[in-house]
Amino acid sequence: GAGVSQSPSNKVTEKGKDVELRCDPISGHTALYWYRQSLGQGLEFLIYFQGNSAPDKSGLPSDRFSAERTGGSVSTLTIQRTQQEDSAVYLCASSPGGRADNYNEQFFGPGTRLTVL
Amino acid sequence: KQEVTQIPAALSVPEGENLVLNCSFTDSAIYNLQWFRQDPGKGLTSLLLIQSSQREQTSGRLNASLDKSSGRSTLYIAASQPGDSATYLCAVNADFNKFYFGSGTKLNVKP
């Protein structure tokens, strides 16, 4: 079946502009995660959505970052007034949730490479 | 806070060798441990998932073990091939929705 998809695959923007990154999780997956991977760094947790529960936003680095998940499916990560230090690969993952044996197994999308000039 | 360490950071082996990648974590209270591979410029591909109640998982030439009490997991790759060249990451699910990733082991399998 279809995996996690993300768009755009690459985004180049100017400092100070706003950007929106999109994630389409695997159909039926209830959990969705956003991570950031900076060059040579490990994965940094940003935000977690589970069903209709309030999201865990504890990893968002500043109030310029926000995310929403509409209808329990597609998610959008928005970065306002982008800064050069926001340049990174933004990865989205989803998990089945529920009673599946692999309820907490993460499946990743290909990522969006963001470059802020 | 959970700390995840992967050793070695890089490894280069000739084709056909069996090899072991190591992952250690500081807090044994985990839900699961997952191994991924990441190819350059790509996302992460799930290789093996070991729940906290399990000791090992196998998929093809890959075998992953988990020893919670000592805070260790190993990924064993049998008969390595050039196509196995990638960065291998382990991730520990410590809190319900928090996953802590190691920095990875970059593997190069030489033909």
Side-chain angles (χ1 to χ4, degrees):
Chain A
V4 178
S5 62
Q6 292 185 245
S7 61
S9 55
N10 281 284
K11 177 71 177 178
V12 180
T13 190
E14 294 179 347
K15 177 181 174 182
K17 294 287 180 68
D18 297 351
V19 296
E20 285 189 351
L21 312 180
R22 177 187 169 106
C23 172
D24 278 273
I26 293 173
S27 178
H29 280 197
T30 60
L32 187 147
Y33 307 78
W34 282 99
Y35 294 90
R36 178 168 70 175
Q37 187 175 35
S38 302
L39 189 63
Q41 303 293 316
L43 270 74
E44 175 188 5
F45 166 79
L46 296 177
I47 190 168
Y48 162 79
F49 295 91
Q50 172 60 57
N52 296 320
S53 302
D56 178 350
K57 304 179 182 180
S58 60
L60 295 178
S62 77
D63 58 7
R64 295 186 297 104
F65 288 72
S66 63
E68 63 177 20
R69 189 179 185 192
T70 54
S73 181
V74 172
S75 177
T76 303
L77 176 69
T78 301
I79 308 173
Q80 295 179 309
R81 305 181 303 282
T82 52
Q83 304 294 313
Q84 289 184 330
E85 60 262 30
D86 298 335
S87 295
V89 176
Y90 289 82
L91 293 163
C92 173
S94 68
S95 294
R99 298 179 181 276
D101 287 344
N102 66 335
Y103 71 96
N104 52 5
E105 182 174 9
Q106 293 198 300
F107 297 87
F108 280 80
T112 294
R113 182 175 298 278
L114 175 65
T115 302
V116 182
L117 302 176
Chain B
K1 181 186 172 185
Q2 180 77 255
E3 300 282 343
V4 181
T5 304
Q6 291 189 245
I7 294 174
L11 182 63
S12 184
V13 300
E15 181 177 5
E17 270 204 10
N18 302 324
L19 57 100
V20 174
L21 307 181
N22 298 291
C23 172
S24 62
F25 46 96
T26 54
D27 188 341
S28 62
I30 66 170
Y31 287 90
N32 70 36
L33 186 144
Q34 195 167 353
W35 282 94
F36 299 88
R37 69 174 278 167
Q38 185 173 31
D39 294 281
K42 306 287 187 181
L44 279 65
T45 300
S46 178
L47 297 174
L48 290 165
L49 170 71
I50 311 178
Q51 301 290 1
S52 62
S53 59
Q54 298 173 326
R55 298 280 297 186
E56 66 177 346
Q57 284 288 335
T58 298
S59 176
R61 295 182 293 108
L62 305 180
N63 175 276
S65 66
L66 174 64
D67 184 343
K68 274 200 320 177
S69 61
S70 66
R72 292 181 182 180
S73 176
T74 60
L75 179 66
Y76 175 81
I77 302 177
S80 58
Q81 302 171 357
D84 295 331
S85 297
T87 296
Y88 289 79
L89 296 159
C90 69
V92 169
N93 180 200
D95 301 324
F96 179 69
N97 61 300
K98 293 281 174 48
F99 290 79
Y100 298 89
F101 286 78
S103 297
T105 294
K106 187 172 183 179
L107 173 65
N108 178 37
V109 181
K110 299 172 289 186

